[in-house]
Amino acid sequence: LAVAEAVGLLPTAVTVHVGRAGGGFGRRIYPDAEVEAARASKALGRPVRLLWTRNDDMRHSRCRPASHHRVRVALAAGGAVLAWQHQMVQTAFPPISELEKAVPVVGWEAFFALQSLLPYDWALPVQLLTPVDVPVPGGAWRSVFSGQLTVANELVLDEVAHAAGRDRLAFRRTHAKGERAKSVLDKVAEAAGWGRALPSGQAQGVALHEEYGSTVAHVAEVDVGGGAPRVTRITVAADVGLPVNPRGVEAQLQGAAMDAVGITLTAGLHVSDGAVVEGSYADYHWPRMRDAPARVDVHLLRSDHRIGGVGELGFPSAAAAIACAVARATGTTPRSFPIAF
């Protein structure tokens, strides 16, 4: 439809030859390249082959949306949470399909409601999304809304636990919703050695997340003794119901952990005079092998629940655990990301 509209043809006059995605993920749901190629072909009057360079892709493609968060919590004596309100403002990104244009109810707001599930038994939880249009091409990224929503929630939860004088993991377990959440917290605490003594400048952070019918908890360890934070170890405990391919689940969670290291600590785009500065992986600071934690341990808890999802499950609580660890190691809670930007 987008190609037909761009070159003034009927949709029936356009034939799409579907190739292998080759790691396309969500990016290829947007037909930018196809529309550009069709316009070039029409202008030249002949077939064309369009190739974007890495610089083209980084400087003119789609960015993960920016977001701003305000979390308000009402506490009773002893640290009981009476109310939880999270307002998320995010730069909007285009519809993912013509269906969304035709049926507005099938939109990002509805998807946000599915992703904004709290794994804690709070009274009166409210989480709201306000999209804001900006002249920057945006697109969904791994974990879409929960990757940012969960980080803000877990950072605030750490502050609430500290104010109540409670251990951060024990506080989460007390308020966790359901046995699956408690079980993954128990397992990750045991496997990571939660609470053990660490050298000065090092700390642990913990986070819990539920989505796609699965539950996961992370403990991250960071070292800020050298200046910039470095993740030294990540421990994961996940309940995805029946893990049909356990090694595949393990690989997904390891990959999500590395995504979290990059996005939380160093990877982002700078804009100067209206243009993106980064043009390749030489100046876009995605983690290298030297930045990888020495250990990423994954523990799967098999339950009797139905098969849950795992592709986007692992990022939110991994990023949150890293952020919480940095907060404990430095004594200052990060309020913007990437932290070492």
Side-chain angles (χ1 to χ4, degrees), residues 120 150 154 172 185 205-209 216-219 316-318 320-321 324:
Y120 303 105
T150 296
E154 294 289 317
R172 284 171 168 81
L185 284 171
V206 61
L208 175 67
H209 181 62
V216 66
H218 283 77
V219 168
S317 52
C324 290

Side-chain angles (χ1 to χ4, degrees), residues 74-122:
L75 299 176
V81 177
L82 300 179
W84 187 280
Q85 184 186 73
H86 186 159
Q87 293 177 295
M88 176 177 177
V89 177
Q90 179 175 282
T91 55
F93 38 88
I96 59 173
S97 67
E98 294 301 317
L99 175 63
E100 185 183 337
K101 294 179 182 179
V103 188
V105 71
V106 184
W108 289 115
E109 289 79 2
F111 189 36
F112 173 81
L114 296 174
Q115 283 208 305
S116 60
L117 305 175
L118 277 167
Y120 303 105
D121 195 14
W122 302 141

Side-chain angles (χ1 to χ4, degrees), residues 234 253-263 286-288 291-293 296 318:
I234 294 177
L253 293 171
Q254 289 172 334
M258 286 308 303
D259 282 349
V261 170
I263 293 298
W286 194 250
R288 273 60 169 176
D291 302 310
V296 180

Side-chain angles (χ1 to χ4, degrees), residues 10 12 44 48 87 96 108 110 117 121 126 128 199 235 243 282 286 308 311:
L10 292 174
T12 53
L44 294 171
V48 301
Q87 293 177 295
I96 59 173
W108 289 115
L117 305 175
D121 195 14
V126 176
L128 303 171
T235 307
W286 194 250

